[in-house]
Structure formats: structure tokens, C-alpha cells
Amino acid sequence: MLSAFTARPIVELRQRDKSKIECILAYGDRLLVGLNTGSLRVYRVNEPIDETQAQNGLPGENARPTSSSSPNAVDLMREEDKFSKHKVEQLAIVKEANLLVSLSNGIVSIHDLQTYQLHETLVKTKGATAFAVTSNIVKDPSTDVPSIVSRLAVAVKRRVILWSWHDSELEPDTSELTLVTGVKTLTWATGTKIIAGLASSYVLVNIEDSGVTDIVGPGSIGGAPGQDGGRFGGVGVSTISYMGLGGVAPKPLATHLGQGEMLLAKDINTLFIDTEGQSLGRRQIPWAVAPEAIGYSYPYLLALQATKGTLEVRNPETLTLLQTVSLPSASQLHVSQPNISLAHAGKGFLVLSERCIWRMAGLDYDSQINALVDRARLDEAISLLGMLEDPLLKDKEGRLREIKILKAQTLFDLHRYREALDLFTEVSAPPQSVIRLFPPTIAGRTSSQSQAQEGEEGDPHPLADGGEPNLRAHEDSKSEENLHNNGTAADDTDLSRRSTDEAQMAAHDATSVNAPKSRPVKEGTILDGKDLKAATAELRPFLVSARTRLQRYLNPDGTLKDDQATMNSAASNVQEAQELLLAQVPESAEERRQQLVETARLVDTTLFRAYMFASPSLAGPLFRLDNFCDPDVVKEKLIENGRYNDLVDFYSGKGLHQQALELLEKFGKKEQGDETASQLAGPHRTVVYLQNLPSEMIDLILDFVQWPLDEDPDLGMEVFLADSERAETLPRQKVLDFLQKKDKGLAVKYLKHIIAELNDTTPKFHQRLAEEYIRSLKERMVSNQKTRPELDNDAHEFLKNSRYYQPYKALKMLPADDPNLYEARAIVLNKMGQHRQALDIYVFKMKDPNKAEDYCNQVQLAETSSTLPTNKQRSSVTDLEHRTTSIYHTLLSLYLSPPPPHEPQWGPALNILARHGARMPASSTLDLIPEVLPIKELESYFQGRIRLANSVMSESRLVSALRSNVAFSQEVKLRLGDNVPGGHGGRNRHVLITEDRVCGVCYKRFGGSAIKVLPKYVVVPSCLVFQIGGY
């Protein structure tokens, strides 16, 4: 059990003093003690001399308090012998009004808090049984000014009488409320609501609207309709003796709890409610004997068992009995008001008997948490940490996380894997501490079970290996200690009751640890079979969550992230890094990075093992993501299971491309007849892999592309010809040199691709392709896919269209006497501007007038497009006469005046004159025609010339007529004015200027100034600039 409080007697009446203590009141450093003689003693309470001794001196859970108090614990300041004529039953203060309230002989009296002199006796309170005082800060609804409002409620038989003080001023009016039965106790729920304990039930009274709400509860709590009028309605089961109704009806008790909760207790029945009187639906406290008094000392629930002389300390959430303090003859509790600050919360309270007053000193909360953990009370420690505020603990979040990790380990040992792993995930447990719980099949060398199997020492923590036996042993030792410490302080009934409470405490505290269906774990057992499968299935979500947290700090290459989002949350990053690592996060960034990488490698490798153990098909998607798996472990497992395709994906994800390509080549060439690797057969998988490699790995690509090119050249060339960004960014010179050595046909294919498809303008590539084309033409090389005409067309088109090769180098490779190269040579001469030599080839060597004419057409078209004027105006006949000699003139001269030994060609010459004579100057053309040629043969030439001159003259006449029409239309609009549709006014328009006429822009009178008449306004010249847009 826990040692949360230590009893220290501070006031003990001497043996010769025959008086008895009836009530006490503590405020500040004052302790007021009311005696049965009517006297009031005033003590000054001093702090304990040795606070460390009070905190660290841990007595037994049920040890008796020390027999004598410190001589300086309290000092008697004064004693008022004539404070009252009868015993003082209750004391309270109204601090703001500096008043002391007392109850004696059924009458409430008001005294001065400093002199303790009687101010007033409240006559209305004759027959009072109890009273309650509260003070609250209330804002005025109209002015919103805060003020302190204190209220005094007195129970007089069936009535509740109220007095109020506003900022120490007593209000003259009092109010009364009458209830159904006599009021036994009063407890303020809020500043305006009070709980009245009646003979057989509880009611909630609203003093503002006088509303009364019945509180319905179990057993003697009452509240059911018709229950108040019963004769024995307030009698509980513990007060009925076996001889008859000789017991006394128990007093209804009530106390505040934290977070707006309250506890009602009567007899052995309890009810948890909120400040509105509504039940919270929680179970009852397992009391076998009705308590004499209850209270709340943050964060514990207190119950005083007067019949046994013990004080019970319970957890208000779990209702577990944490401590039992023996206080002989104790009868009352005095706890400070529940709305005090946290600086004093739970520091202590007072317990009194007729002859003694004990001060209950509280142990510091960190020590209490440690004590619960040492006793394996993990649920109680977690509950206590949840109730305590952060300032009261050194490291609440860290301690709570540690205890939850211990609890999760215990749940794991009890085969409750889902609950354990969910708790591990909730607290972001270090992955290594979770992984080590699994056997080497999952955890590898990190497993602690491998050490246990070899006989080595396992986890030193008592909960690491078999939590349940440790819990049982601890419970047995506690029971023996309790029996030894109690001695004669309790009778046999008390001992039996205490054993029952301890058993209930043990059973409840281990609720989440010892489930009914949980199997006990034997020490040294190793997970296997169904247990291992179930645990592995729950481990995978935890590892996925750990991967997500690690990705916040690590880049895929293992470096620390330094992005803006990470820099803005540096504090949270450090905290989470501490959660991810087993050791403390080092100050050095490099050491932190190394530990994070090691943790990431452990997490990913363990996740891979878990997938391979339970669901091997899920291992593939893991490799397609960035991961830190150990390559050796992955290779061993995948080869063992024959998952070679997944192994290739893993190598690819880890950047081990050479190993992946070696594996693909091995199975692609079918050197190993394994049916499981059938999906890797052939070069297709290798080609796809090479297509995905970056251009920086060109050496690796060229090394492993050779065997696909040997197996299937077209498929292998897809590495370089694919329509992808990676293929386009490959170093082309290096690829071309490689293909040139491999196969010239593949090199030409690659050159054609980069020039035609990728529009590469590198002169070196164009020159190289031109040379390859010329070499193919000279050697009459024809590929299997192409015929000779197709090769000629491709070569001629490239030589004709490319502008980036050097024609003079190409011309050197073209012999003048090879008939197969005549046209190629003519194309190259065209590129060099040697048109007469090119036409000489077409006319005299190839003897093809059509190609010669086509050549001239192309040259003429190129010259016309390059010298085309900006204004597309047709040339006149005079312009044609002054034009220089055209390409057609050159062709005509070759036909009519050929060099020897060639004869004139009259037919082609006349065709040129008929078709293109109009494009040549007449004077120079006629000079070329010999005199022997009949005029009749030139009929077509002269018709063309005349037709051209007539068309030019007709065009000029048409343009002149159109311009006259446009001028006439504009003149009509000018002369006829506004009556013409679309007109803007004419010369016939007049404007009347009077003395009242003003400018349409500046609104000034014209007077004798000049004016400007616009379509919309009449303005002065200075305003004209503002109306240009509207004119």
C-alpha cells in the first residue's frame, strides 16, 4: 500500500485536563479548538522543524503516529474560557467580514475574529443542527465590477436560513427555505447551490430561485418518490442490530471532489454527482462499514472509520484503497476549502479525536508515484499522474510515458498484444524497447528472448519477464507487512476487513494487466506459433507509426532535414527524437543523425521481417518506398523464399543498381533454371530497369545494355530511343561512340533519332550522319528493312534539309563519276551555292529535265521568300526588266548554249520559256535565243509575257477605281452631315452661340473667345485636349 500521508500529533490534551475536543478550525497559521466546556483555544501552528525527515521518513502503511509532538509544532496563543456556556459544536469564519461563526447549544453566534468577542446571537437559528459558509467572487451584472459575496446557510429543523455579506457588509434581509424533512447536514456545491442532507435523502437547493431538486441514489441515498415519509427511511443496513432497531441513523455526508464533482455518502452507499445534482454513473465505494466522515485532500478521497479508528485514503477515480492510517478514537476530519490554490493542494489536513489533533503531512507527489511503481501499481500511478497538475511534478509527461511503457510491457507478457502495442504507439515508445520483446525471427540480434534462451540474464525490470508472479509476490509481502504493523491496533474483524480491502485493491489495480482470459506467462518462454503471429500482426502498425515519426527528421539518404518547417519546430523535434532513441539525444548533430539512422534501420528491417513472417506479399510495396532496411537481412530472406523480383525492387530502392542488374542478367540469360524467377527471363526486365536509371550512371547502363542488344537489338535500343526524359538526357556522344563500336547500323539509327526526333543541332552529329549516309550510298549498303530507293530518299532528304553539316567535306566524299551519287552531289553543290554545276549534273549527266526544273523552282522559291518585301505589292513589268539574271536564265543558257560537246536542247528550252519566261528579263532572254529559231516556236513565250503585262495593268486600274469609290464616300459624309447613317456631321451644321451658352467641359461662358465645335460639345480650345477621346 501507499504512504501518501503521515500522522503527526500537534495538539494532545494533558491527562489532568478533563475537557474534550469538539471541533476545530484552521486558517492561515491559526488553529481554533472548541472544547466541550465552551472554551476556545487559539494555537499558532508552526511548520515542521525537519521537512526532509517528514517527507523521506517512510513509516509503515498502517503504522501508528508518533507518541509525542514536537515542542514547537503549535504554540498556545490564548484561551477564551467564556467563549460559550455550552460545548462548541462547529466553527467557521467569514474572512472578508472578519467574523467567526460558531454553533453551540443549537444556536449560531457571530464573534469578532480578532478579539473573539460575541457580536450577535442569531435568534432565528434556535434549534440549529449545522451550518455552512462559502465565499465567492461575483461580478455585478450591470457594472461588471467584481465583489466578494459570502453566504451563511443554517439548518434549523426543516428550514434553511441564509445570510449574505457583500464586500464585508451584511445584507439586512435574510431568506428562508422549507424542505420536506429535517436537515442534518449542509454542503455548498457552488456559490448559489447547496446540498442538504435530509433524514432519508439529499436535495439540491438553488438559493437564487428557491428551486429544490431531489437527488436520487442507491440504497440509503434515497430520493425516490414516497421514501421521505417512511419511519425508518434513514436507517441503513449497518445500523440495524440483530436484536432490533437499536442503532443510530447514519449522518448524510457530502464532500467536494476535483473538476466540479461531489460525493454523497450515507451508511455504506455512495453517489457521485456533478454540481447540478446529476449522477455521474460511477460505481459505489466498497465500504463494509459506514464512515464517520469523508473529505477530499487533493487528489485523494478520505474516509474516517471511527469504529475502527482508521483513516482510509482512496483514489477517487479507481476507488482503490491506497493507504490505511491508524488513528485511535479519531472522529472528525478537517480539510481546507476545495478552492485553495495548488501551492497548498494536498499538503495536509487535520484529524481529531476527543483528546488529540493530528496533522496529516503529505509525501511529495514524485515519491508517491515512485512508491506505486515500485509496488507494481501501474494503473494507480497512471491515474494519479492524470489527476495531478503539471506544476506539482518535476516531469509529468516523461514520468507518465515511462509508466505507460512499463504497463505495456506487462500487458505484452500477458499475451494482450493489441492493448500493449496500442499503448506503445500512444506514448511513442522507443522502437528498440518494443522490438526486443520479440524472438530473433522478428527482432534479430536485438531480441532479448535469444538471451533468455541461452541462459543469460534478461530484462532487469521486475515486470519484463512475467509480471503476474511478481504482482502476486508483492501482494503477499504487503499483506504480511500489514498484519505485522497493525499489531493490536485492530481486532479480528478489522484484520478481516483490511484483507478484503487489499484483495479488492489488488484486483482493481491490475484490471488492465490481469484480464480474466489472460494466460499467465512462464518465465523464459519464447513467443512462437499463434502467439507470435498475433503479436506480429499488432507490431506492424507500431512500426509504421515509428517510420512516420522518423521521416520527420531523416532524408532518404540518411541526412538530417533542415527545411523551414523543421527549423520552426525545433523544440518538438528534440523531444520526439528523445522518444525515438533509447539513449539521451546527444548534443552533436552528427551523433544524433547516426542514432536516428540506426533506429530507422532497426525499424524498417523489423517491419520487413514481420511482413515476411505473416504476409510476404506486403514486402514488395515496402521496397518501393524509401527505406533503411539492412541489405544482408533482406537478401537472405528473399532468396530463401525465392522472391527474386522483390529483391530486384529492393536493390533498386537502395541504389544498389549493379547488384540488381547482375541478378537480372543472371536470370535473364536463364543460366539458372529456377521456375520461381520466370518473370525475370529475357532482356525485357533489364531494359525496363535501365530505362529508369539516371544519366549519371551512363557507364553502368552501357555495361549492362550489351547483352539485351545481342539478344534483341530493337528492344535493347529502347534504352536510348524511348520517349522519356531519362533517355533524352543521356550523354549522346558517349552513347554514339558505344554504338559505333557495337554496330554501325545501331549508331546510324541513334543519330537519326536524336536529329529527327530530338531536334539536335550539334554540327558534329549532323556531319557524322551525312558521312554515314554517303558511305552507305557508296558501298550500296541496304538494311534488311529498307530498299535501295528508300535509302536514297532518306540520304537525299537529310542532305537537302540539314543546315548543320559542312558541305565541302561531304563533296570531297562524293566522286564526280559515280552515277549513283549524281543527285547527292547536286544537293551538296546546291548547299554550297554552285547552282550552275548542280544544273549541269541534272541536264547533262542525269539528263532529267524535270528534276532540273524542280531544282530551279526550289531555288527560286527560296530566293523569293528570303527577299519578300514587307508590303506585298505585285511587281510591275518594268521591275522585271531591271531584275538580275534568275536561276531559270542559267538553266535556259545550258539548254541553248551548252558547253561542247553537248548539243542544244530545243524542247526543254522552249518548255522553260513557256512556263517561266515571264520571270526572266526579256532583253537577256531574247539575246540567248538563236536567230535560226522560228518565231512560231516562241508563241507561248510571247503570250505569257503579254498576259503578265495585261494582268499588271488591269490590277492597277482596279485599285484606282476602288480608291475613287472610297474618296467619294468620304466626301458624301463630309458634305451631307448628320442625315447620313453613321455620319459625324458635315459642313452644313451650324451652332448658335448665345450669352448663356457655356463650354461643355469647363462650363465657362464663351464671351468673345474662339470656339471648337465637336460632335458632342462646343468647347474653348484649352478644353479640347480633354475631349480628344470623345471626339
mmCIF file of all heavy atoms in Angstrom, residues 173-198:
data_model
loop_
_atom_site.group_PDB
_atom_site.id
_atom_site.type_symbol
_atom_site.label_atom_id
_atom_site.label_comp_id
_atom_site.label_asym_id
_atom_site.label_seq_id
_atom_site.Cartn_x
_atom_site.Cartn_y
_atom_site.Cartn_z
ATOM 1 N N ASP A 173 -31.538 41.786 4.766
ATOM 2 C CA ASP A 173 -32.584 40.790 4.526
ATOM 3 C C ASP A 173 -32.004 39.389 4.611
ATOM 4 O O ASP A 173 -30.877 39.134 4.208
ATOM 5 C CB ASP A 173 -33.214 40.989 3.152
ATOM 6 C CG ASP A 173 -33.888 42.351 3.036
ATOM 7 O OD1 ASP A 173 -34.322 42.879 4.078
ATOM 8 O OD2 ASP A 173 -33.934 42.886 1.902
ATOM 9 N N THR A 174 -32.783 38.507 5.148
ATOM 10 C CA THR A 174 -32.454 37.075 5.179
ATOM 11 C C THR A 174 -33.531 36.327 4.407
ATOM 12 O O THR A 174 -34.636 36.836 4.209
ATOM 13 C CB THR A 174 -32.374 36.561 6.612
ATOM 14 O OG1 THR A 174 -33.649 36.738 7.245
ATOM 15 C CG2 THR A 174 -31.302 37.291 7.391
ATOM 16 N N SER A 175 -33.190 35.133 3.985
ATOM 17 C CA SER A 175 -34.146 34.311 3.246
ATOM 18 C C SER A 175 -34.232 32.944 3.891
ATOM 19 O O SER A 175 -33.282 32.481 4.536
ATOM 20 C CB SER A 175 -33.732 34.177 1.778
ATOM 21 O OG SER A 175 -32.433 33.619 1.685
ATOM 22 N N GLU A 176 -35.400 32.320 3.735
ATOM 23 C CA GLU A 176 -35.634 31.011 4.328
ATOM 24 C C GLU A 176 -36.217 30.084 3.277
ATOM 25 O O GLU A 176 -36.971 30.498 2.400
ATOM 26 C CB GLU A 176 -36.598 31.097 5.514
ATOM 27 C CG GLU A 176 -36.068 31.856 6.709
ATOM 28 C CD GLU A 176 -37.029 31.795 7.883
ATOM 29 O OE1 GLU A 176 -37.985 30.985 7.800
ATOM 30 O OE2 GLU A 176 -36.832 32.533 8.843
ATOM 31 N N LEU A 177 -35.849 28.824 3.386
ATOM 32 C CA LEU A 177 -36.395 27.771 2.547
ATOM 33 C C LEU A 177 -36.831 26.628 3.441
ATOM 34 O O LEU A 177 -36.108 26.238 4.378
ATOM 35 C CB LEU A 177 -35.351 27.268 1.541
ATOM 36 C CG LEU A 177 -34.867 28.281 0.491
ATOM 37 C CD1 LEU A 177 -33.702 27.699 -0.288
ATOM 38 C CD2 LEU A 177 -35.998 28.643 -0.442
ATOM 39 N N THR A 178 -37.985 26.064 3.160
ATOM 40 C CA THR A 178 -38.516 24.966 3.963
ATOM 41 C C THR A 178 -38.504 23.700 3.127
ATOM 42 O O THR A 178 -39.011 23.677 1.999
ATOM 43 C CB THR A 178 -39.949 25.266 4.429
ATOM 44 O OG1 THR A 178 -39.944 26.498 5.176
ATOM 45 C CG2 THR A 178 -40.464 24.150 5.304
ATOM 46 N N LEU A 179 -37.903 22.646 3.698
ATOM 47 C CA LEU A 179 -37.799 21.367 2.998
ATOM 48 C C LEU A 179 -38.772 20.361 3.609
ATOM 49 O O LEU A 179 -39.484 20.655 4.575
ATOM 50 C CB LEU A 179 -36.363 20.852 3.084
ATOM 51 C CG LEU A 179 -35.295 21.827 2.569
ATOM 52 C CD1 LEU A 179 -33.911 21.234 2.704
ATOM 53 C CD2 LEU A 179 -35.571 22.210 1.113
ATOM 54 N N VAL A 180 -38.798 19.166 3.024
ATOM 55 C CA VAL A 180 -39.827 18.191 3.406
ATOM 56 C C VAL A 180 -39.547 17.568 4.762
ATOM 57 O O VAL A 180 -40.481 17.214 5.502
ATOM 58 C CB VAL A 180 -39.943 17.101 2.331
ATOM 59 C CG1 VAL A 180 -40.500 17.677 1.049
ATOM 60 C CG2 VAL A 180 -38.585 16.452 2.066
ATOM 61 N N THR A 181 -38.279 17.384 5.102
ATOM 62 C CA THR A 181 -37.926 16.787 6.389
ATOM 63 C C THR A 181 -36.793 17.583 7.005
ATOM 64 O O THR A 181 -36.282 18.541 6.426
ATOM 65 C CB THR A 181 -37.488 15.317 6.213
ATOM 66 O OG1 THR A 181 -36.370 15.270 5.336
ATOM 67 C CG2 THR A 181 -38.622 14.471 5.629
ATOM 68 N N GLY A 182 -36.387 17.165 8.191
ATOM 69 C CA GLY A 182 -35.336 17.855 8.903
ATOM 70 C C GLY A 182 -33.997 17.753 8.199
ATOM 71 O O GLY A 182 -33.645 16.734 7.607
ATOM 72 N N VAL A 183 -33.241 18.852 8.252
ATOM 73 C CA VAL A 183 -31.946 18.941 7.590
ATOM 74 C C VAL A 183 -30.863 18.526 8.585
ATOM 75 O O VAL A 183 -30.782 19.088 9.691
ATOM 76 C CB VAL A 183 -31.692 20.368 7.066
ATOM 77 C CG1 VAL A 183 -30.352 20.440 6.352
ATOM 78 C CG2 VAL A 183 -32.818 20.817 6.158
ATOM 79 N N LYS A 184 -30.044 17.565 8.175
ATOM 80 C CA LYS A 184 -28.972 17.063 9.036
ATOM 81 C C LYS A 184 -27.633 17.743 8.732
ATOM 82 O O LYS A 184 -26.898 18.088 9.649
ATOM 83 C CB LYS A 184 -28.828 15.549 8.850
ATOM 84 C CG LYS A 184 -30.103 14.763 9.145
ATOM 85 C CD LYS A 184 -30.509 14.917 10.613
ATOM 86 C CE LYS A 184 -31.752 14.060 10.910
ATOM 87 N NZ LYS A 184 -32.177 14.220 12.324
ATOM 88 N N THR A 185 -27.321 17.915 7.434
ATOM 89 C CA THR A 185 -26.028 18.496 7.047
ATOM 90 C C THR A 185 -26.243 19.459 5.879
ATOM 91 O O THR A 185 -27.221 19.359 5.131
ATOM 92 C CB THR A 185 -25.021 17.414 6.613
ATOM 93 O OG1 THR A 185 -25.576 16.672 5.531
ATOM 94 C CG2 THR A 185 -24.706 16.477 7.773
ATOM 95 N N LEU A 186 -25.300 20.393 5.742
ATOM 96 C CA LEU A 186 -25.312 21.344 4.635
ATOM 97 C C LEU A 186 -23.909 21.384 4.023
ATOM 98 O O LEU A 186 -22.911 21.446 4.755
ATOM 99 C CB LEU A 186 -25.714 22.750 5.112
ATOM 100 C CG LEU A 186 -27.159 22.947 5.582
ATOM 101 C CD1 LEU A 186 -27.338 24.356 6.133
ATOM 102 C CD2 LEU A 186 -28.132 22.705 4.436
ATOM 103 N N THR A 187 -23.872 21.386 2.679
ATOM 104 C CA THR A 187 -22.592 21.462 1.953
ATOM 105 C C THR A 187 -22.808 22.318 0.709
ATOM 106 O O THR A 187 -23.704 22.018 -0.101
ATOM 107 C CB THR A 187 -22.089 20.065 1.541
ATOM 108 O OG1 THR A 187 -22.016 19.233 2.704
ATOM 109 C CG2 THR A 187 -20.717 20.166 0.889
ATOM 110 N N TRP A 188 -22.010 23.360 0.572
ATOM 111 C CA TRP A 188 -22.136 24.221 -0.605
ATOM 112 C C TRP A 188 -21.579 23.500 -1.838
ATOM 113 O O TRP A 188 -20.442 23.029 -1.837
ATOM 114 C CB TRP A 188 -21.385 25.536 -0.406
ATOM 115 C CG TRP A 188 -22.065 26.481 0.539
ATOM 116 C CD1 TRP A 188 -21.779 26.685 1.849
ATOM 117 C CD2 TRP A 188 -23.157 27.348 0.226
ATOM 118 N NE1 TRP A 188 -22.616 27.611 2.399
ATOM 119 C CE2 TRP A 188 -23.483 28.049 1.410
ATOM 120 C CE3 TRP A 188 -23.896 27.600 -0.921
ATOM 121 C CZ2 TRP A 188 -24.504 28.983 1.473
ATOM 122 C CZ3 TRP A 188 -24.908 28.528 -0.863
ATOM 123 C CH2 TRP A 188 -25.217 29.215 0.322
ATOM 124 N N ALA A 189 -22.401 23.420 -2.881
ATOM 125 C CA ALA A 189 -21.949 22.857 -4.157
ATOM 126 C C ALA A 189 -21.302 23.933 -5.012
ATOM 127 O O ALA A 189 -20.233 23.727 -5.600
ATOM 128 C CB ALA A 189 -23.107 22.199 -4.903
ATOM 129 N N THR A 190 -21.951 25.088 -5.111
ATOM 130 C CA THR A 190 -21.408 26.260 -5.798
ATOM 131 C C THR A 190 -21.725 27.475 -4.938
ATOM 132 O O THR A 190 -22.200 27.347 -3.810
ATOM 133 C CB THR A 190 -22.026 26.416 -7.206
ATOM 134 O OG1 THR A 190 -23.435 26.651 -7.077
ATOM 135 C CG2 THR A 190 -21.796 25.170 -8.051
ATOM 136 N N GLY A 191 -21.468 28.659 -5.484
ATOM 137 C CA GLY A 191 -21.761 29.866 -4.731
ATOM 138 C C GLY A 191 -23.249 30.112 -4.548
ATOM 139 O O GLY A 191 -23.645 30.889 -3.664
ATOM 140 N N THR A 192 -24.092 29.465 -5.353
ATOM 141 C CA THR A 192 -25.547 29.689 -5.274
ATOM 142 C C THR A 192 -26.331 28.403 -5.062
ATOM 143 O O THR A 192 -27.555 28.446 -5.018
ATOM 144 C CB THR A 192 -26.034 30.361 -6.564
ATOM 145 O OG1 THR A 192 -25.729 29.544 -7.689
ATOM 146 C CG2 THR A 192 -25.385 31.729 -6.731
ATOM 147 N N LYS A 193 -25.676 27.263 -4.946
ATOM 148 C CA LYS A 193 -26.369 25.988 -4.771
ATOM 149 C C LYS A 193 -25.784 25.258 -3.581
ATOM 150 O O LYS A 193 -24.561 25.244 -3.393
ATOM 151 C CB LYS A 193 -26.264 25.125 -6.030
ATOM 152 C CG LYS A 193 -26.963 25.727 -7.247
ATOM 153 C CD LYS A 193 -26.820 24.848 -8.461
ATOM 154 C CE LYS A 193 -27.507 25.488 -9.674
ATOM 155 N NZ LYS A 193 -27.371 24.659 -10.880
ATOM 156 N N ILE A 194 -26.663 24.654 -2.798
ATOM 157 C CA ILE A 194 -26.238 23.976 -1.590
ATOM 158 C C ILE A 194 -26.930 22.623 -1.514
ATOM 159 O O ILE A 194 -28.103 22.467 -1.908
ATOM 160 C CB ILE A 194 -26.568 24.831 -0.336
ATOM 161 C CG1 ILE A 194 -25.936 24.222 0.916
ATOM 162 C CG2 ILE A 194 -28.068 25.038 -0.188
ATOM 163 C CD1 ILE A 194 -26.006 25.130 2.112
ATOM 164 N N ILE A 195 -26.194 21.632 -1.061
ATOM 165 C CA ILE A 195 -26.739 20.281 -0.907
ATOM 166 C C ILE A 195 -27.134 20.091 0.546
ATOM 167 O O ILE A 195 -26.321 20.286 1.456
ATOM 168 C CB ILE A 195 -25.715 19.220 -1.341
ATOM 169 C CG1 ILE A 195 -25.478 19.298 -2.845
ATOM 170 C CG2 ILE A 195 -26.176 17.821 -0.963
ATOM 171 C CD1 ILE A 195 -24.476 18.294 -3.362
ATOM 172 N N ALA A 196 -28.381 19.721 0.748
ATOM 173 C CA ALA A 196 -28.916 19.499 2.093
ATOM 174 C C ALA A 196 -29.103 18.003 2.293
ATOM 175 O O ALA A 196 -29.802 17.339 1.509
ATOM 176 C CB ALA A 196 -30.238 20.229 2.267
ATOM 177 N N GLY A 197 -28.455 17.467 3.322
ATOM 178 C CA GLY A 197 -28.632 16.067 3.660
ATOM 179 C C GLY A 197 -29.792 15.915 4.628
ATOM 180 O O GLY A 197 -29.733 16.380 5.769
ATOM 181 N N LEU A 198 -30.881 15.281 4.168
ATOM 182 C CA LEU A 198 -32.073 15.092 4.988
ATOM 183 C C LEU A 198 -31.996 13.752 5.721
ATOM 184 O O LEU A 198 -31.005 13.020 5.613
ATOM 185 C CB LEU A 198 -33.314 15.160 4.095
ATOM 186 C CG LEU A 198 -33.426 16.394 3.176
ATOM 187 C CD1 LEU A 198 -34.717 16.347 2.385
ATOM 188 C CD2 LEU A 198 -33.326 17.688 3.974
#
